Amino acid sequence: MSQSVASLDADVLILGAGAAGGAAAFHLAAAGHRVLVLERDGNERIKPCGGGMAASVQQWFPFPLAPAVEEVIRRVDFSWCLSDPVVAELPGSAPFWIVRRERLDQLLLEEAMAKGCRIERGFGVDDVQRDGEHWCVRSTDGRTVRGRAVVIANGSNSPWPARFGLGPSSLHLASTTSVRLQGRGSLQPGAARFEFGLVHHGFAWAFPIADGVNVGVGTFIGRQADSSDTILQQLLPDLGFPSDAGLRQTASLRVWNGHERLDGDGILAVGDSASLCDPFLAEGLRPALMSGCEAATHLNRWLRGECSDLRGYSIGMRQRWGDSMAWGRRIAQVFYRFPKVGYQLGVKRPTAPQRIAQILSGEMGYGDIAQRVIRRLLLQRR
Ligand SMILES: Cc1cc2nc3c(=O)[nH]c(=O)nc-3n(C[C@H](O)[C@H](O)[C@H](O)COP(=O)(O)OP(=O)(O)OC[C@H]3O[C@@H](n4cnc5c(N)ncnc54)[C@H](O)[C@@H]3O)c2cc1C
């Protein structure tokens, strides 16, 4: 038997209080809907995330994200096997931010709660079921809540997109190891570092935060060999840290793997659960925030009866993100198979620093890069 709308626990149940869930929660609550966020963890966990994101995401929020921003990046240093350096100066007009992830997630949630959103922590979602016209979500300890709609936002390990036929049927996983270090080592203020060459089929990064550095290793093709400790042993001294410094966390990251439907009947997948992360540079925060905002726009219309389904969400994400990721995937497949050639011809090109800055700032998509390369090849053949 389905229940009346008033007797439901919320209009929208959001599974997970990460960047994607928080963005959706804020915009839905701000539009006047009853929102309940269900989060498994307490708010003290250190999230394995570099925290790098284009400052342009600010345009999607009416409140400042600055309280979560710990560094503004003006310069990116690249290296190949710790040598052959390339420096990209980022123009001040298109900055790249480093946020402390826990703080960003908390900030989004606080802003959502100020608009009336509720959160239940310690609610590990164990089951999601259609119940007549509504949705019923059960926790691992047997609590149940009901809502008109569900936003799946519980990250890369979520089983729910597959259960409801959302997102790619075949998952592409990047393997990551991350370390949060105390102190800045040799990293210059306002500088981030990317290292290619040491990592087979991937790269390593070092992003500064207020009192430390987030260092990580990511592999984008195949599984990470057990070499991340060996890589960190070489990389950390180069960054001015002892080779065994920091606590290591490993995580699998779902990356974009094809245009697929992300909406069902009163249900949507956002962020990592929807496999939106960039398959070339592992940029997942911007698509998480973008998809949370886009999901809220379409859910708002649907809840108000202005549209009969949530199809517009999948279409919107394809146009705003998926089309660029299709090119990003092709570029990743070539670059990570032939990384030395990629570094010489891509990163070391005279125009590369400007293009890299444009990609990191979100000004340019992979489709634009691919078109430029194709045009250059055609001109060379004439
Ligand atoms: C090592 C590493 C470094 C990265 N660095 C960057 C970077 O520098 N820049 C960038 O743009 N992207 C980066 N990414 C990617 C980025 O972190 C993700 O794309 C982003 O976190 C996606 O946000 P999300 O909200 O979809 O998922 P998440 O941030 O994973 O949030 C999911 C939430 O759901 C909760 N949850 C999980 N299971 C349940 C459950 N059963 N019930 C209830 N709640 C649940 C989790 O506790 C979590 O709070 C990195 C990823 C990794 C692994």
Side-chain angles (χ1 to χ4, degrees), residues 16-20 38-41 45 47-52 101 123-125 153-155 176 178 205 207 251 253 271-272 282-285 288:
L38 306 168
E39 168 59 48
R40 182 192 56 195
D41 293 344
R45 182 166 74 98
K47 288 210 167 185
C49 179
R101 248 324 278 289
F123 194 112
V125 175
N154 62 330
T176 67
S178 59
W205 62 88
F207 291 172
L253 187 61
D272 282 358
E283 186 192 6
L285 282 174

